[in-house]
Amino acid sequence: MGYQKPKGTADILPGDSSQWQLVEKTARDVFARYQFNEIRTPLFESYAVFARSSGDTSDIVSKEMYDFMDKGDRHIALRPEGTAGVVRAFVENKLYGPEYQKPYKVYYMGPMFRYERPQSGRQRQFHQIGVEAFGSESPAADVEVISMAMRLLRECHITDLKLAINTLGDAASRAAYHEALVSYLEPHFEELSDDSKVRLHKNPLRVLDSKDAKDQEIVKDAPVILDYLTPEATAHFETVKHLLETLHIPYEVDTEMVRGLDYYNHTIFEIMTNNKVLGHGYTTVLAGGRYNGLVEQLGGPDMPGVGFGLGVERLLLLMNAQNEALVPEPKLDVYVVGIGAQTSATTLQIIESIRDAGLSAERDYLDRKPKAQFKTANKMNAQIVVTIGESELADQTAHVKDMMSGIEITVPLAQVYTDFKAVQQQLNMN
RNA sequence: GCGGUAUUGGUGAAGUGGUUAACACAUCGGUUUGUGGAUCCGACACACGUGGGUUCGAUUCCCACAUACCGCCCCA
C-alpha cells in the first residue's frame, strides 16, 4: 500500500502549518522582548554530548536515544532535547568569554527525537521551543525565565495552567537528601511496586512521583527535600518564591516533582494542564530549571545556567482544545476567470500585474468553464473576480466584479496592468 | 520495552462467510453554448492496512507484521 511515514512522525500540512507559524512567531516576539536571541545547533550531536549531560542512567539516554554509527564509525545521536547541544555550542564557541554580556540569553526551536511509543502529544520526532540563560546565579534569572514562559503561554491564549516549582538544592543538599530518602525507603522495599524497586537504586527521587497508589502511600511520609537544603540553597529557593510573588505569578511548591534529566539543581519548574486532550491527569507542557555545573561538565568553565523547554505538539493540542480557530481563514484578493483557451496568456499577465501591485491573485489552470471558475473563486474567498473572454480581448477591456456586492464594472485592460489598486478603488466607489 | 483497542473510497462512515460493498460530504460534469454560494440529475472503492492460513468460497474466521489511539514505563 505504498509508503508510510516512520512510526511516531507526522506530516504538518498546509492549514496546520499556519498555526505552527503563529506559535513560532509569538515565541520569537516574546523572546525578543526579553532580549533572547536565536541559536541554531545541529539536529544530531556526538552521542557523548547527551550521555554526559543527561546522565548515563537516565531513561532518555539508556533507552530513548535515537543513536547510530555513521559511515565514519562515529557514534551519533539525534538530539533528544535542546539544552545539551546549546551548552556544547556555548562552550565550543567560547561564549563564556568576557566580551559577551552575561547572562548570555538564547532560544531555539526545532525537532527533537526520542525512541519511544507514540501517544497523544508524544511522538518520536517532536518539537520543542526552548531558552537558556548562561552566567547568572541570581534567583532573579530563574524568575525571569519562568515569567517569560508564563507570558508565552498566555500570549498563545492558553489558560487553566498550573505552575509547579521545587528545588533540588545544591550538591551538598542533594547528597544529604539522597541518603535520607534511601534510608527511609529501604525498610519499605518489599512493599514498593516493581518499578519503584528498580528506581530505588537507580534514581530514588523517581520513587517520589510514582503513580502506583501504594507507592504514593509510602511516599507521603517520606522525608522532604526542603528539610535537607543547605542555608544557601534555602536562600535561593526562598528568593525565587518571593520574586514570583512580587510578579504576582501564582505557583505551587511540589516537593515530589523530579526531573528526567540528571543535570538539574536548585530551582526546577513545570507548567502543567489537566486538559484531557493530553491524556488523564496533569500533563506537562513546559518544563525547565537551573543547571549549574552542566557547562563545566561539557568542558567549559564553572558557569551557571537556567532554561526551559516547551513541547510544541502539546501546546498546539491545548490551543485547539481551548480556542476556536486562532488562525484566520485564508483570503484571496483577486481570482481571474479566463473564458476560452486563447485568453490564457492575457490571464497570466493579469495575475502577474496584480501580484506586482502587492495583492494575491489566482486563476484556473484546468480549462474549466466560467461557472466552475466562479465557484472556485467563491470557495477561495476571492474578494474580486476579473473576467476575460473573447469580446474583452477584442476591445482590450476586463470585467471586474466585487464578490461581496455583486457589482461588476468594465475597465480598460491597460489599467488592470498598470494600476490595479486604482481599479479596486473605482469598484468600491460604485 | 509491556498490556489493550482499532485499521473499509479524497473524507465521515454502514455492512455481510458466497453472483451489484449502503448512505452522506467533498470533487467533477450536466441542468444555464460566458459569471459565484441554491435545486435537481449523473459520475466517483476489480476494492475493504500488509502477508500468510482455514474454507468449495473471506472484506467478513485464525495467525503474524505494520501503523494509529489508550494505559504503564518515561517524558515535552
Side-chain angles (χ1 to χ4, degrees), chain A residues 360-387:
Chain A
S360 63
E362 188 55 284
R363 56 161 277 188
D364 171 76
Y365 293 96
L366 303 175
D367 292 320
R368 293 187 302 152
K369 307 209 155 155
K371 178 180 174 113
Q373 295 188 45
F374 265 90
K375 278 189 173 177
T376 300
N378 209 260
K379 215 153 285 157
M380 295 179 87
N381 241 317
Q383 307 298 294
I384 293 174
V385 170
V386 174
T387 309

PDB file of all heavy atoms in Angstrom, chain A residues 360-387:
ATOM      1  N   SER A 360      -2.728  39.347  -3.776  1.00  0.00           N
ATOM      2  CA  SER A 360      -2.648  37.936  -4.133  1.00  0.00           C
ATOM      3  C   SER A 360      -3.627  37.671  -5.270  1.00  0.00           C
ATOM      4  O   SER A 360      -4.712  38.260  -5.332  1.00  0.00           O
ATOM      5  CB  SER A 360      -2.955  37.057  -2.929  1.00  0.00           C
ATOM      6  OG  SER A 360      -4.274  37.271  -2.476  1.00  0.00           O
ATOM      7  N   ALA A 361      -3.228  36.804  -6.190  1.00  0.00           N
ATOM      8  CA  ALA A 361      -4.067  36.532  -7.351  1.00  0.00           C
ATOM      9  C   ALA A 361      -3.948  35.071  -7.744  1.00  0.00           C
ATOM     10  O   ALA A 361      -2.912  34.445  -7.554  1.00  0.00           O
ATOM     11  CB  ALA A 361      -3.646  37.418  -8.520  1.00  0.00           C
ATOM     12  N   GLU A 362      -5.049  34.544  -8.279  1.00  0.00           N
ATOM     13  CA  GLU A 362      -5.069  33.151  -8.711  1.00  0.00           C
ATOM     14  C   GLU A 362      -5.929  33.032  -9.957  1.00  0.00           C
ATOM     15  O   GLU A 362      -6.738  33.923 -10.259  1.00  0.00           O
ATOM     16  CB  GLU A 362      -5.629  32.285  -7.562  1.00  0.00           C
ATOM     17  CG  GLU A 362      -5.537  30.793  -7.772  1.00  0.00           C
ATOM     18  CD  GLU A 362      -4.116  30.309  -8.067  1.00  0.00           C
ATOM     19  OE1 GLU A 362      -3.645  30.502  -9.210  1.00  0.00           O
ATOM     20  OE2 GLU A 362      -3.484  29.763  -7.145  1.00  0.00           O
ATOM     21  N   ARG A 363      -5.701  31.952 -10.733  1.00  0.00           N
ATOM     22  CA  ARG A 363      -6.506  31.725 -11.934  1.00  0.00           C
ATOM     23  C   ARG A 363      -6.732  30.225 -12.093  1.00  0.00           C
ATOM     24  O   ARG A 363      -6.260  29.427 -11.293  1.00  0.00           O
ATOM     25  CB  ARG A 363      -5.791  32.264 -13.183  1.00  0.00           C
ATOM     26  CG  ARG A 363      -4.401  31.668 -13.365  1.00  0.00           C
ATOM     27  CD  ARG A 363      -3.899  31.824 -14.778  1.00  0.00           C
ATOM     28  NE  ARG A 363      -4.414  30.778 -15.638  1.00  0.00           N
ATOM     29  CZ  ARG A 363      -4.011  30.590 -16.888  1.00  0.00           C
ATOM     30  NH1 ARG A 363      -3.100  31.389 -17.421  1.00  0.00           N
ATOM     31  NH2 ARG A 363      -4.494  29.604 -17.613  1.00  0.00           N
ATOM     32  N   ASP A 364      -7.435  29.861 -13.144  1.00  0.00           N
ATOM     33  CA  ASP A 364      -7.693  28.450 -13.432  1.00  0.00           C
ATOM     34  C   ASP A 364      -6.629  27.909 -14.372  1.00  0.00           C
ATOM     35  O   ASP A 364      -6.174  28.607 -15.275  1.00  0.00           O
ATOM     36  CB  ASP A 364      -9.070  28.317 -14.086  1.00  0.00           C
ATOM     37  CG  ASP A 364      -9.304  26.918 -14.614  1.00  0.00           C
ATOM     38  OD1 ASP A 364      -9.561  26.028 -13.799  1.00  0.00           O
ATOM     39  OD2 ASP A 364      -9.208  26.716 -15.849  1.00  0.00           O
ATOM     40  N   TYR A 365      -6.221  26.669 -14.120  1.00  0.00           N
ATOM     41  CA  TYR A 365      -5.229  26.044 -14.981  1.00  0.00           C
ATOM     42  C   TYR A 365      -5.752  24.749 -15.590  1.00  0.00           C
ATOM     43  O   TYR A 365      -5.010  23.965 -16.151  1.00  0.00           O
ATOM     44  CB  TYR A 365      -3.957  25.731 -14.191  1.00  0.00           C
ATOM     45  CG  TYR A 365      -3.214  26.976 -13.734  1.00  0.00           C
ATOM     46  CD1 TYR A 365      -3.406  27.493 -12.457  1.00  0.00           C
ATOM     47  CD2 TYR A 365      -2.344  27.639 -14.596  1.00  0.00           C
ATOM     48  CE1 TYR A 365      -2.743  28.638 -12.040  1.00  0.00           C
ATOM     49  CE2 TYR A 365      -1.678  28.780 -14.190  1.00  0.00           C
ATOM     50  CZ  TYR A 365      -1.881  29.287 -12.916  1.00  0.00           C
ATOM     51  OH  TYR A 365      -1.224  30.422 -12.511  1.00  0.00           O
ATOM     52  N   LEU A 366      -7.045  24.496 -15.417  1.00  0.00           N
ATOM     53  CA  LEU A 366      -7.595  23.207 -15.859  1.00  0.00           C
ATOM     54  C   LEU A 366      -8.612  23.377 -16.984  1.00  0.00           C
ATOM     55  O   LEU A 366      -9.387  22.476 -17.274  1.00  0.00           O
ATOM     56  CB  LEU A 366      -8.255  22.492 -14.667  1.00  0.00           C
ATOM     57  CG  LEU A 366      -7.325  22.251 -13.474  1.00  0.00           C
ATOM     58  CD1 LEU A 366      -8.097  21.645 -12.310  1.00  0.00           C
ATOM     59  CD2 LEU A 366      -6.162  21.356 -13.855  1.00  0.00           C
ATOM     60  N   ASP A 367      -8.631  24.549 -17.617  1.00  0.00           N
ATOM     61  CA  ASP A 367      -9.558  24.827 -18.717  1.00  0.00           C
ATOM     62  C   ASP A 367     -11.005  24.559 -18.341  1.00  0.00           C
ATOM     63  O   ASP A 367     -11.750  23.925 -19.080  1.00  0.00           O
ATOM     64  CB  ASP A 367      -9.188  23.978 -19.952  1.00  0.00           C
ATOM     65  CG  ASP A 367      -7.870  24.425 -20.544  1.00  0.00           C
ATOM     66  OD1 ASP A 367      -7.638  25.650 -20.590  1.00  0.00           O
ATOM     67  OD2 ASP A 367      -7.068  23.554 -20.929  1.00  0.00           O
ATOM     68  N   ARG A 368     -11.390  25.031 -17.206  1.00  0.00           N
ATOM     69  CA  ARG A 368     -12.758  24.790 -16.783  1.00  0.00           C
ATOM     70  C   ARG A 368     -13.675  25.923 -17.215  1.00  0.00           C
ATOM     71  O   ARG A 368     -13.237  27.017 -17.556  1.00  0.00           O
ATOM     72  CB  ARG A 368     -12.795  24.589 -15.271  1.00  0.00           C
ATOM     73  CG  ARG A 368     -12.082  23.295 -14.889  1.00  0.00           C
ATOM     74  CD  ARG A 368     -12.227  22.974 -13.440  1.00  0.00           C
ATOM     75  NE  ARG A 368     -11.699  24.052 -12.619  1.00  0.00           N
ATOM     76  CZ  ARG A 368     -12.148  24.315 -11.408  1.00  0.00           C
ATOM     77  NH1 ARG A 368     -13.124  23.603 -10.894  1.00  0.00           N
ATOM     78  NH2 ARG A 368     -11.636  25.294 -10.720  1.00  0.00           N
ATOM     79  N   LYS A 369     -14.968  25.620 -17.154  1.00  0.00           N
ATOM     80  CA  LYS A 369     -15.952  26.590 -17.609  1.00  0.00           C
ATOM     81  C   LYS A 369     -16.067  27.759 -16.635  1.00  0.00           C
ATOM     82  O   LYS A 369     -15.720  27.636 -15.463  1.00  0.00           O
ATOM     83  CB  LYS A 369     -17.318  25.907 -17.717  1.00  0.00           C
ATOM     84  CG  LYS A 369     -17.238  24.666 -18.568  1.00  0.00           C
ATOM     85  CD  LYS A 369     -18.533  24.408 -19.249  1.00  0.00           C
ATOM     86  CE  LYS A 369     -18.274  23.603 -20.511  1.00  0.00           C
ATOM     87  NZ  LYS A 369     -19.407  22.823 -20.947  1.00  0.00           N
ATOM     88  N   PRO A 370     -16.569  28.884 -17.120  1.00  0.00           N
ATOM     89  CA  PRO A 370     -16.695  30.081 -16.265  1.00  0.00           C
ATOM     90  C   PRO A 370     -17.405  29.768 -14.957  1.00  0.00           C
ATOM     91  O   PRO A 370     -16.972  30.213 -13.892  1.00  0.00           O
ATOM     92  CB  PRO A 370     -17.529  31.028 -17.120  1.00  0.00           C
ATOM     93  CG  PRO A 370     -17.271  30.589 -18.519  1.00  0.00           C
ATOM     94  CD  PRO A 370     -17.013  29.138 -18.483  1.00  0.00           C
ATOM     95  N   LYS A 371     -18.475  29.029 -15.042  1.00  0.00           N
ATOM     96  CA  LYS A 371     -19.232  28.750 -13.824  1.00  0.00           C
ATOM     97  C   LYS A 371     -18.363  28.030 -12.795  1.00  0.00           C
ATOM     98  O   LYS A 371     -18.356  28.368 -11.613  1.00  0.00           O
ATOM     99  CB  LYS A 371     -20.445  27.899 -14.151  1.00  0.00           C
ATOM    100  CG  LYS A 371     -21.240  27.547 -12.923  1.00  0.00           C
ATOM    101  CD  LYS A 371     -22.442  26.690 -13.284  1.00  0.00           C
ATOM    102  CE  LYS A 371     -23.132  26.224 -12.019  1.00  0.00           C
ATOM    103  NZ  LYS A 371     -24.442  26.813 -11.877  1.00  0.00           N
ATOM    104  N   ALA A 372     -17.630  27.048 -13.251  1.00  0.00           N
ATOM    105  CA  ALA A 372     -16.770  26.294 -12.339  1.00  0.00           C
ATOM    106  C   ALA A 372     -15.696  27.201 -11.760  1.00  0.00           C
ATOM    107  O   ALA A 372     -15.335  27.094 -10.587  1.00  0.00           O
ATOM    108  CB  ALA A 372     -16.145  25.120 -13.078  1.00  0.00           C
ATOM    109  N   GLN A 373     -15.188  28.110 -12.606  1.00  0.00           N
ATOM    110  CA  GLN A 373     -14.149  29.027 -12.126  1.00  0.00           C
ATOM    111  C   GLN A 373     -14.711  29.977 -11.071  1.00  0.00           C
ATOM    112  O   GLN A 373     -14.057  30.273 -10.079  1.00  0.00           O
ATOM    113  CB  GLN A 373     -13.559  29.815 -13.300  1.00  0.00           C
ATOM    114  CG  GLN A 373     -12.811  28.923 -14.292  1.00  0.00           C
ATOM    115  CD  GLN A 373     -12.064  29.743 -15.335  1.00  0.00           C
ATOM    116  OE1 GLN A 373     -11.408  30.715 -15.006  1.00  0.00           O
ATOM    117  NE2 GLN A 373     -12.160  29.325 -16.594  1.00  0.00           N
ATOM    118  N   PHE A 374     -15.928  30.416 -11.272  1.00  0.00           N
ATOM    119  CA  PHE A 374     -16.561  31.289 -10.271  1.00  0.00           C
ATOM    120  C   PHE A 374     -16.764  30.551  -8.957  1.00  0.00           C
ATOM    121  O   PHE A 374     -16.587  31.110  -7.878  1.00  0.00           O
ATOM    122  CB  PHE A 374     -17.899  31.822 -10.792  1.00  0.00           C
ATOM    123  CG  PHE A 374     -17.761  33.181 -11.436  1.00  0.00           C
ATOM    124  CD1 PHE A 374     -17.487  33.298 -12.800  1.00  0.00           C
ATOM    125  CD2 PHE A 374     -17.894  34.329 -10.677  1.00  0.00           C
ATOM    126  CE1 PHE A 374     -17.335  34.547 -13.377  1.00  0.00           C
ATOM    127  CE2 PHE A 374     -17.759  35.584 -11.248  1.00  0.00           C
ATOM    128  CZ  PHE A 374     -17.471  35.694 -12.611  1.00  0.00           C
ATOM    129  N   LYS A 375     -17.130  29.300  -9.087  1.00  0.00           N
ATOM    130  CA  LYS A 375     -17.315  28.511  -7.864  1.00  0.00           C
ATOM    131  C   LYS A 375     -16.009  28.429  -7.084  1.00  0.00           C
ATOM    132  O   LYS A 375     -15.985  28.556  -5.858  1.00  0.00           O
ATOM    133  CB  LYS A 375     -17.774  27.092  -8.217  1.00  0.00           C
ATOM    134  CG  LYS A 375     -19.258  26.963  -8.477  1.00  0.00           C
ATOM    135  CD  LYS A 375     -19.635  25.500  -8.591  1.00  0.00           C
ATOM    136  CE  LYS A 375     -21.150  25.343  -8.677  1.00  0.00           C
ATOM    137  NZ  LYS A 375     -21.540  23.936  -8.866  1.00  0.00           N
ATOM    138  N   THR A 376     -14.948  28.198  -7.819  1.00  0.00           N
ATOM    139  CA  THR A 376     -13.641  28.122  -7.171  1.00  0.00           C
ATOM    140  C   THR A 376     -13.285  29.448  -6.518  1.00  0.00           C
ATOM    141  O   THR A 376     -12.828  29.488  -5.376  1.00  0.00           O
ATOM    142  CB  THR A 376     -12.561  27.737  -8.198  1.00  0.00           C
ATOM    143  OG1 THR A 376     -12.893  26.458  -8.747  1.00  0.00           O
ATOM    144  CG2 THR A 376     -11.195  27.665  -7.551  1.00  0.00           C
ATOM    145  N   ALA A 377     -13.526  30.534  -7.253  1.00  0.00           N
ATOM    146  CA  ALA A 377     -13.238  31.871  -6.722  1.00  0.00           C
ATOM    147  C   ALA A 377     -13.979  32.061  -5.407  1.00  0.00           C
ATOM    148  O   ALA A 377     -13.438  32.569  -4.427  1.00  0.00           O
ATOM    149  CB  ALA A 377     -13.664  32.931  -7.724  1.00  0.00           C
ATOM    150  N   ASN A 378     -15.194  31.606  -5.393  1.00  0.00           N
ATOM    151  CA  ASN A 378     -16.004  31.723  -4.192  1.00  0.00           C
ATOM    152  C   ASN A 378     -15.428  30.916  -3.040  1.00  0.00           C
ATOM    153  O   ASN A 378     -15.362  31.373  -1.908  1.00  0.00           O
ATOM    154  CB  ASN A 378     -17.395  31.228  -4.513  1.00  0.00           C
ATOM    155  CG  ASN A 378     -18.408  31.922  -3.659  1.00  0.00           C
ATOM    156  OD1 ASN A 378     -18.850  31.365  -2.679  1.00  0.00           O
ATOM    157  ND2 ASN A 378     -18.722  33.148  -3.997  1.00  0.00           N
ATOM    158  N   LYS A 379     -15.048  29.697  -3.370  1.00  0.00           N
ATOM    159  CA  LYS A 379     -14.508  28.815  -2.346  1.00  0.00           C
ATOM    160  C   LYS A 379     -13.194  29.353  -1.784  1.00  0.00           C
ATOM    161  O   LYS A 379     -12.870  29.138  -0.628  1.00  0.00           O
ATOM    162  CB  LYS A 379     -14.286  27.429  -2.960  1.00  0.00           C
ATOM    163  CG  LYS A 379     -14.537  26.317  -2.002  1.00  0.00           C
ATOM    164  CD  LYS A 379     -14.954  25.048  -2.742  1.00  0.00           C
ATOM    165  CE  LYS A 379     -16.393  25.150  -3.226  1.00  0.00           C
ATOM    166  NZ  LYS A 379     -16.692  24.277  -4.346  1.00  0.00           N
ATOM    167  N   MET A 380     -12.459  30.033  -2.629  1.00  0.00           N
ATOM    168  CA  MET A 380     -11.169  30.565  -2.181  1.00  0.00           C
ATOM    169  C   MET A 380     -11.322  31.907  -1.492  1.00  0.00           C
ATOM    170  O   MET A 380     -10.330  32.528  -1.110  1.00  0.00           O
ATOM    171  CB  MET A 380     -10.214  30.710  -3.371  1.00  0.00           C
ATOM    172  CG  MET A 380      -9.834  29.383  -3.994  1.00  0.00           C
ATOM    173  SD  MET A 380      -8.731  29.595  -5.403  1.00  0.00           S
ATOM    174  CE  MET A 380      -7.155  29.607  -4.560  1.00  0.00           C
ATOM    175  N   ASN A 381     -12.562  32.320  -1.318  1.00  0.00           N
ATOM    176  CA  ASN A 381     -12.785  33.565  -0.609  1.00  0.00           C
ATOM    177  C   ASN A 381     -12.274  34.773  -1.388  1.00  0.00           C
ATOM    178  O   ASN A 381     -11.784  35.742  -0.785  1.00  0.00           O
ATOM    179  CB  ASN A 381     -12.050  33.522   0.736  1.00  0.00           C
ATOM    180  CG  ASN A 381     -13.028  33.648   1.868  1.00  0.00           C
ATOM    181  OD1 ASN A 381     -13.939  34.481   1.797  1.00  0.00           O
ATOM    182  ND2 ASN A 381     -12.861  32.819   2.873  1.00  0.00           N
ATOM    183  N   ALA A 382     -12.378  34.726  -2.695  1.00  0.00           N
ATOM    184  CA  ALA A 382     -11.871  35.827  -3.515  1.00  0.00           C
ATOM    185  C   ALA A 382     -12.717  37.075  -3.286  1.00  0.00           C
ATOM    186  O   ALA A 382     -13.941  37.015  -3.251  1.00  0.00           O
ATOM    187  CB  ALA A 382     -11.909  35.435  -4.984  1.00  0.00           C
ATOM    188  N   GLN A 383     -12.039  38.218  -3.145  1.00  0.00           N
ATOM    189  CA  GLN A 383     -12.748  39.471  -2.945  1.00  0.00           C
ATOM    190  C   GLN A 383     -13.236  40.031  -4.280  1.00  0.00           C
ATOM    191  O   GLN A 383     -14.310  40.608  -4.366  1.00  0.00           O
ATOM    192  CB  GLN A 383     -11.828  40.503  -2.279  1.00  0.00           C
ATOM    193  CG  GLN A 383     -11.182  39.995  -1.008  1.00  0.00           C
ATOM    194  CD  GLN A 383     -12.215  39.671   0.052  1.00  0.00           C
ATOM    195  OE1 GLN A 383     -12.888  40.556   0.557  1.00  0.00           O
ATOM    196  NE2 GLN A 383     -12.375  38.395   0.380  1.00  0.00           N
ATOM    197  N   ILE A 384     -12.394  39.848  -5.287  1.00  0.00           N
ATOM    198  CA  ILE A 384     -12.689  40.402  -6.606  1.00  0.00           C
ATOM    199  C   ILE A 384     -12.473  39.330  -7.661  1.00  0.00           C
ATOM    200  O   ILE A 384     -11.556  38.508  -7.537  1.00  0.00           O
ATOM    201  CB  ILE A 384     -11.748  41.592  -6.914  1.00  0.00           C
ATOM    202  CG1 ILE A 384     -12.048  42.770  -5.973  1.00  0.00           C
ATOM    203  CG2 ILE A 384     -11.847  42.027  -8.378  1.00  0.00           C
ATOM    204  CD1 ILE A 384     -11.073  43.919  -6.102  1.00  0.00           C
ATOM    205  N   VAL A 385     -13.332  39.310  -8.683  1.00  0.00           N
ATOM    206  CA  VAL A 385     -13.098  38.426  -9.819  1.00  0.00           C
ATOM    207  C   VAL A 385     -12.954  39.270 -11.081  1.00  0.00           C
ATOM    208  O   VAL A 385     -13.788  40.135 -11.357  1.00  0.00           O
ATOM    209  CB  VAL A 385     -14.240  37.413  -9.998  1.00  0.00           C
ATOM    210  CG1 VAL A 385     -14.095  36.681 -11.333  1.00  0.00           C
ATOM    211  CG2 VAL A 385     -14.257  36.408  -8.854  1.00  0.00           C
ATOM    212  N   VAL A 386     -11.899  39.035 -11.817  1.00  0.00           N
ATOM    213  CA  VAL A 386     -11.689  39.693 -13.110  1.00  0.00           C
ATOM    214  C   VAL A 386     -12.018  38.667 -14.178  1.00  0.00           C
ATOM    215  O   VAL A 386     -11.560  37.534 -14.095  1.00  0.00           O
ATOM    216  CB  VAL A 386     -10.223  40.153 -13.254  1.00  0.00           C
ATOM    217  CG1 VAL A 386      -9.978  40.697 -14.674  1.00  0.00           C
ATOM    218  CG2 VAL A 386      -9.893  41.219 -12.211  1.00  0.00           C
ATOM    219  N   THR A 387     -12.855  39.061 -15.159  1.00  0.00           N
ATOM    220  CA  THR A 387     -13.238  38.120 -16.215  1.00  0.00           C
ATOM    221  C   THR A 387     -12.731  38.584 -17.568  1.00  0.00           C
ATOM    222  O   THR A 387     -12.876  39.754 -17.931  1.00  0.00           O
ATOM    223  CB  THR A 387     -14.769  37.985 -16.268  1.00  0.00           C
ATOM    224  OG1 THR A 387     -15.253  37.700 -14.968  1.00  0.00           O
ATOM    225  CG2 THR A 387     -15.164  36.859 -17.219  1.00  0.00           C
TER     226      THR A 387
END
